Amino acid sequence: MQTLFILAGVAIGVGVIVFMSGLLSSLQANFIRRVLTSQPHIQIIAPDEVARPLRVAPSGVVVASIVQRPAQRLRSIDQWQMIRTQLLRRADITNVSPTVTASALAVRGDASRSITLTGIDPEVYFNIVKLPDYIILGQPRVTSEDIIIGAELAKDLGVSVGDKVNVTAASGALRALTISAIFDLGNKGANERSTFVALRTAQALSNLVGGVTSIDITIQDVYAADTIAASVQAEVGMQVDSWIKTNAQFFTAVNAQKISNTAIRGFVGLSVAFGIASVLVVSVIQRSKDIGILRAMGASQNQILRIFLLQGALLGFLGSLVGSLVGRQSLVFLHSFLRQADGSELFPLILEPSLFVAAVALASVTGVVAAAVPAIRAAKLDPVVAIRG
């Protein structure tokens, strides 16, 4: 009965560890997948305009005038074609796409909305931002006369695929564009403002013919984005942002979750260890005479020590096998039960074999460590005293 209870305790503890670790990994992978399919890994941004103070030196005295920071206007990245070619030579970079981002006004009848106009080269840009995966109506066609808009913007303007909208840029340029597709990025703010047009269309509307305002980049190792961004910044001498930097709040939350998850696993592991130790201590006390008889028949201290260490390892190992199965099935059930509004999965189910191997190994080692004290006590029992007791 004691063995069954301690096996159940170990199984529950390991099940909690496996379930929480798998759930956290799945949620983190889901967020990273969503982030990396809706924004570039690294982005080069055109530098701001900076006012330089005028220095006048009448009568040999240098005077520096204080100049207010000028209002920013759209600026193109100098020699962006050469920068793109230079970046594509790097082995750690997979895609490089020039883009133009500008503010504009979308008008349909009496309705008008402020939008963010993004000019793209679809053949390259769709390898960076998986926009076709988010299309809910129409086809992701981007010609000089097309525009792709968000679901909330389409609702606000009262338009659908095939309708025309008038787009007025800050430069005063006006263009009537046909809606070729409507997307849903899962973010209301992005669906209300984000629009995509051909690169040349955005250049013409922004009075930036031949220029681009940013260069979007994807890399092979997404977790090395900060390091590669710093390398690219040193290479091109411009502001370079990584997806890790722009999503700093997410990583703060993930780190907090990891710390809390580690703490919970530590406390669960301690409870399992104390449970095994308590059972083995009781076992040593109950079987003192048996241990004394074994010692009297010639059993060595090392043999007695190995018996109890093996018992602790078996309790941890068998309990962890059951716990891993319980944790896995609980995670599978939760994945099948929790669904989004459209019926799709809430998070991808990630069951890494290394998680189960680590759980079994950790529980077995914990069992051995927990059994150490009662095992040493059993090995040091005096045969005569044990038999008399």
Side-chain angles (χ1 to χ4, degrees), residues 346-359:
L346 183 62
F347 57 88
L349 183 62
I350 299 178
L351 299 173
E352 298 179 354
S354 59
L355 173 61
F356 302 102
V357 173

Side-chain angles (χ1 to χ4, degrees), residues 291 295 301 304 374-383:
I291 295 171
R295 290 295 312 281
Q301 287 186 345
I304 300 298
I376 293 173
R377 178 178 179 178
K380 289 183 176 182
L381 280 177
D382 187 295

Side-chain angles (χ1 to χ4, degrees), residues 204-224:
L205 285 170
S206 305
N207 196 21
L208 204 67
V209 178
V212 298
T213 60
S214 61
I215 299 177
D216 295 344
I217 302 170
T218 57
I219 56 178
Q220 292 183 351
D221 184 4
V222 295
Y223 293 103

Side-chain angles (χ1 to χ4, degrees), residues 50-303:
V50 180
R52 296 182 179 178
L54 298 176
R55 297 183 179 273
V56 184
S59 304
V61 179
V62 178
V63 179
S65 60
I66 300 175
V67 181
Q68 186 178 1
R69 186 173 185 268
Q72 299 298 308
R73 60 182 175 86
L74 283 181
R75 297 187 64 192
S76 175
I77 296 177
D78 293 335
Q79 299 180 340
W80 66 266
Q81 297 92 339
M82 184 179 69
I83 294 175
R84 180 188 180 189
T85 303
Q86 182 179 349
L87 293 175
L88 286 173
R89 294 196 188 104
R90 296 180 53 140
D92 52 359
I93 291 178
T94 55
N95 293 288
V96 179
S97 176
T99 59
V100 172
T101 304
S103 298
L105 192 68
V107 180
R108 169 75 175 184
D110 294 333
S112 63
R113 292 292 184 274
S114 176
I115 62 173
T116 300
L117 197 68
T118 304
I120 62 172
D121 179 359
E123 293 184 1
V124 183
Y125 189 79
F126 287 166
N127 293 327
I128 297 177
V129 176
K130 309 297 183 182
L131 190 62
D133 295 343
Y134 298 97
I135 298 298
I136 57 176
L137 284 176
Q139 298 296 325
R141 185 184 67 249
V142 183
T143 67
S144 59
E145 302 299 325
D146 295 322
I147 184 172
I148 301 176
I149 68 174
E152 296 295 330
L153 179 59
K155 180 181 177 181
D156 293 341
L157 295 177
V159 295
S160 186
V161 173
D163 294 338
K164 288 185 176 295
V165 293
N166 293 319
V167 177
T168 305
S171 63
L174 173 65
R175 179 76 68 88
L177 300 174
T178 303
I179 300 172
S180 62
I182 297 174
F183 62 81
D184 182 3
L185 293 176
N187 183 296
K188 184 176 181 180
N191 291 340
E192 286 178 338
R193 291 185 56 86
S194 299
T195 63
F196 297 90
V197 297
L199 182 62
R200 291 189 176 182
T201 302
Q203 290 172 335
L205 285 170
S206 305
N207 196 21
L208 204 67
V209 178
V212 298
T213 60
S214 61
I215 299 177
D216 295 344
I217 302 170
T218 57
I219 56 178
Q220 292 183 351
D221 184 4
V222 295
Y223 293 103
D226 274 345
T227 303
I228 297 176
S231 174
V232 171
Q233 181 167 329
E235 188 175 342
V236 302
M238 299 181 189
Q239 180 182 346
V240 181
D241 293 335
S242 70
W243 73 277
I244 295 177
K245 179 180 178 181
T246 55
N247 294 278
Q249 290 183 342
F250 161 72
F251 281 96
T252 300
V254 168
N255 289 332
Q257 286 182 338
K258 286 183 177 179
I259 293 173
S260 61
N261 190 25
T262 302
I264 292 173
R265 284 185 290 185
F267 285 119
V268 171
L270 283 176
S271 65
V272 169
F274 278 110
I276 294 175
S278 63
V279 168
L280 293 183
V281 167
V282 172
S283 179
V284 169
I285 295 174
Q286 290 177 340
R287 299 174 183 174
S288 296
K289 290 185 178 181
D290 298 332
I291 295 171
I293 293 172
L294 287 174
R295 290 295 312 281
M297 293 175 63
S300 65
Q301 287 186 345
N302 288 335
Q303 288 176 323

